[in-house]
Amino acid sequence: MATLLSVNVGMPKDVAWQGRTVHTGVWKAPVSGRRMVRRLNVDGDGQGDLDGHGGEQRAVLVYQTDSYAHWSRFFAKDLGGHGAFGENFTVDGLSDDEVHIGDRYRIGEAEFEVSQPRVTCFRVGMRLGEPRLPALLVGHHRPGFYLRVITEGTVGAGDEIVRTRVGPHEVSVAEVDALLYLPDPDHDRIRAALDIPALSPGWQASFREVLAGGGGLAPIPVGHEPPWTGFRQLRVARMVAETDSITSIYLAADDDRPLPPAEAGQYLTVKVAAGVRSYSFSDPAAWRISVKREEHGAVSGPLQRLRPGALLDVAAARGEFTLAGGTDPVLLISAGIGVTPVLAMLHRLAADGDTRQIWWIHTTHDQRQYAFGPEIQGLLAKLPNAQEHVYYSTQTRLTAGVLESMGLPTDADAYVCGPESFMDDVRAALVDVGLKPDRVKTEFFAARAAINPGITDANRRSPHPPPGEPGTGPAVTFARSGLTVPMPDDGRSLLELAEACDVPTRWSCRTGVCHTCETGLLSGAVTFDPEPLEPAGPGNTLICCSRPRGEVVLDL
């Protein structure tokens, strides 16, 4: 019979790590006597990152002494006493390949239900000084698991663990973990897992994404195979001045063959001698991008000085800010040059003769700066249920109050592009009037918002070369951040280089498991160490475990 050997608790604390501070509750220590276990936690315990740990679905973390012995042999060292893996319950028995999602157990006065495997997270590797551990936990099928509290009560070391119910379909913790994180999952077994009511909502959502072809836990979709890799030379067919500061560039294949179709809302990344930048299509059917001249723009100036017949290095179209189908209303909301991707969507809607309600809402400084005005009005005239609302900031500002007064349909899909503060304000206003948050989509061409779980250092500088002497490795370009630096010679990963440059990054496991760090590889090739458990999607890479083979351009 399985036995509870130790109850371990610990409150979150700030820990120094790689020059930063991590707020974490991974440090647990055994307690004597009996402890009350409540719906959300063991008394005296806490978590530093409630987005990834804790809560009703993850109230208690369990790890086994057999796995302790396994890792001690693997690393050839003592990994510490009970609680070293961040678990609340250290147990004898209950191996991950024998425990099922939905199993129920009586321990002391309390009853528990198995809800999901441990989430891959860098903190356990940080705690034990083994950064590869998050990947190894998955690869060795020893993740541990979380319990939901069914009946509150006291528990203590020495309590017997009695299974009171077997979960439906008998899908083990190790199997569920592998179905999400390892290649080529069995979709029938995923469907079986989804049929288990006890499986946590987060894992249910991730499995639905897998079945839909969207990847898994990775928040950045893996996308489709790009029509070409790296940069390709396209010919400038036409240059059109839209306003005093905005110029449209029409592109064509150098051999005059048709270019592959692009989706409305996608963007192109272009390279000139002064740097690399991304620009959304303003008309994807015409392969037209529109460039605003920035006062100190190293790239926008050279682009606007191009002439028809010039050749331009261009990466394949990318982007997930694309128009959804359906019959619900569509809100196209933009400010300034943010008009370009939603104008591309308007072109697509007009070409399709779409009958949905279309709301065109735009703000700019004044009428002279309203780029594409006649073109937009012509497209709106082709749509039977379209309306236009334009606000000039010299007269009326497009504020949250204005949006709230417009009577916008709350069942709409909204697409918003403009300065970051504008998008934040509009998103908040739309949610306030009743739109669902997941139906408000935004596009921002600067660096994406960072996802750095547990990091408390909030103040970031603008992207810059890394401190110290420049490296002698190949050039690494962060396209969204407008920065190119040589790769240092110290063996760091592309993620670690980005962090040294204060380029905003996204990550969780840091070992090639969770795909949170998945990033567009616009040009170049990489090597991996460690090898990821599942490769990145087409045209992407996992920056947490990759290093450049030669010059690379990343969509960061």
Side-chain angles (χ1 to χ4, degrees):
M1 181 172 289
T3 305
L4 176 61
L5 299 180
S6 179
V7 178
N8 316 299
V9 301
M11 294 304 292
K13 61 182 180 179
D14 289 344
V15 178
W17 175 76
Q18 296 188 2
R20 286 176 289 173
T21 301
V22 179
H23 189 64
T24 176
V26 75
W27 267 262
K28 309 292 185 190
V31 294
S32 59
R34 303 191 68 77
R35 280 288 167 121
M36 185 70 182
V37 183
R38 306 184 192 277
R39 293 284 182 187
L40 299 181
N41 239 324
V42 182
D43 277 2
D45 192 49
Q47 294 77 35
D49 173 20
L50 292 176
D51 287 335
H53 306 276
E56 183 179 356
Q57 306 295 329
R58 298 167 299 207
V60 177
L61 179 61
V62 178
Y63 212 53
Q64 311 90 352
T65 54
D66 179 65
S67 287
Y68 267 82
H70 172 84
W71 295 119
S72 291
R73 292 191 298 270
F74 182 86
F75 291 115
K77 69 178 185 181
D78 181 5
L79 293 174
H82 297 158
F85 282 76
E87 79 276 10
N88 300 112
F89 290 175
T90 310
V91 300
D92 179 26
L94 301 187
S95 68
D96 291 331
D97 57 0
E98 294 177 347
V99 171
H100 313 106
I101 303 298
D103 281 0
R104 289 192 178 185
Y105 293 92
R106 169 73 61 180
I107 308 175
E109 299 175 348
E111 188 176 14
F112 304 88
E113 185 174 60
V114 179
S115 58
Q116 67 171 70
R118 175 202 297 264
V119 175
T120 58
C121 174
F122 78 104
R123 295 176 188 84
V124 66
M126 177 185 75
R127 166 72 176 82
L128 294 168
E130 296 291 347
R132 296 180 297 155
L133 192 56
L136 294 171
L137 291 173
V138 176
H140 288 228
H141 307 290
R142 293 177 178 270
F145 54 90
Y146 281 105
L147 298 174
R148 177 190 297 109
V149 179
I150 302 299
T151 303
E152 296 181 347
T154 63
V155 300
D159 285 348
E160 292 183 344
I161 302 174
V162 180
R163 184 160 63 185
T164 60
R165 180 186 299 180
V166 177
H169 306 298
E170 297 189 9
V171 185
S172 74
V173 167
E175 183 181 8
V176 164
D177 200 52
L179 286 171
L180 185 61
Y181 289 124
L182 295 182
D184 304 317
D186 183 331
H187 284 200
D188 286 338
R189 293 300 285 169
I190 289 178
R191 293 185 185 95
L194 282 169
D195 194 46
I196 305 172
L199 183 66
S200 69
W203 280 67
Q204 290 183 31
S206 296
F207 278 145
R208 290 192 185 97
E209 288 180 19
V210 173
L211 294 179
L217 289 182
I220 303 172
V222 297
H224 305 287
E225 188 73 44
W228 68 82
T229 58
F231 286 89
R232 169 185 175 183
Q233 286 197 326
L234 299 183
R235 176 171 48 83
V236 176
R238 276 200 297 155
M239 301 284 293
V240 176
E242 307 290 356
T243 68
D244 292 344
S245 61
I246 298 174
T247 299
S248 289
I249 304 173
Y250 291 77
L251 297 169
D254 193 31
D255 58 6
D256 288 324
R257 293 182 180 180
L259 288 169
E263 293 188 60
Q266 287 190 309
Y267 61 88
L268 292 176
T269 300
V270 302
K271 180 170 66 174
V272 297
V276 178
R277 295 290 188 277
S278 295
Y279 296 94
S280 63
F281 285 106
S282 53
D283 183 356
W287 270 73
R288 182 184 74 181
I289 61 174
S290 300
V291 178
K292 181 180 179 181
R293 184 177 64 255
E294 304 293 345
E295 185 176 354
H296 301 291
V299 175
S300 61
L303 286 176
Q304 290 200 348
R305 291 192 292 271
L306 291 173
R307 293 291 179 264
L311 296 178
L312 181 63
D313 289 329
V314 182
R318 285 180 171 268
E320 303 297 331
F321 182 70
T322 53
L323 189 64
T327 59
D328 290 333
V330 175
L331 312 182
L332 303 177
I333 306 176
S334 59
I337 192 59
V339 70
T340 55
V342 292
L343 173 56
M345 295 177 185
L346 188 62
H347 271 280
R348 180 60 50 83
L349 292 166
D352 294 344
D354 202 289
T355 58
R356 285 178 281 183
Q357 287 186 54
I358 311 296
W359 292 63
W360 178 266
I361 304 170
H362 180 71
T363 181
T364 189
H365 184 262
D366 54 39
Q367 187 172 8
R368 188 170 58 88
Q369 296 299 319
Y370 185 21
F372 312 104
E375 178 179 328
I376 290 164
Q377 290 163 2
L379 294 169
L380 291 170
K382 297 178 181 179
L383 294 164
N385 297 305
Q387 52 184 293
E388 180 183 23
H389 302 267
V390 178
Y391 297 88
Y392 301 123
S393 58
T394 53
Q395 301 171 2
T396 304
R397 301 187 68 85
L398 179 58
T399 63
V402 170
L403 286 170
E404 291 166 3
S405 69
M406 293 175 69
L408 298 172
T410 58
D411 58 345
D413 290 303
Y415 303 88
V416 186
C417 190
E420 187 171 15
S421 59
F422 168 81
M423 291 191 294
D424 289 344
D425 291 345
V426 168
R427 179 182 181 83
L430 294 177
V431 172
D432 284 346
V433 300
L435 270 73
K436 293 181 178 179
D438 62 353
R439 299 186 72 175
V440 182
K441 313 229 175 12
T442 58
E443 178 70 310
F444 184 54
F445 284 108
R448 299 185 187 95
I451 298 176
N452 301 161
I455 300 297
T456 62
D457 308 78
N459 296 326
R460 288 186 178 274
R461 299 164 56 193
S462 297
H464 57 84
E469 290 294 319
T472 61
V476 176
T477 296
F478 301 106
R480 288 176 180 259
S481 301
L483 178 68
T484 299
V485 296
M487 189 72 188
D489 309 313
D490 54 9
R492 71 182 69 181
S493 67
L494 286 167
L495 170 59
E496 290 166 330
L497 174 61
E499 290 173 330
C501 298
D502 281 308
V503 170
T505 56
R506 297 179 168 200
W507 49 264
S508 180
C509 74
R510 300 180 72 93
T511 55
V513 179
C514 69
H515 285 231
T516 302
C517 74
E518 187 161 343
T519 298
L521 180 61
L522 302 179
S523 177
V526 299
T527 58
F528 293 98
D529 182 22
E531 194 73 24
L533 296 180
E534 184 171 17
N540 293 349
T541 191
L542 302 179
I543 61 171
C544 73
C545 54
S546 61
R547 291 155 184 81
R549 289 184 183 175
E551 293 188 4
V552 297
V553 179
L554 298 170
D555 191 21
L556 277 176

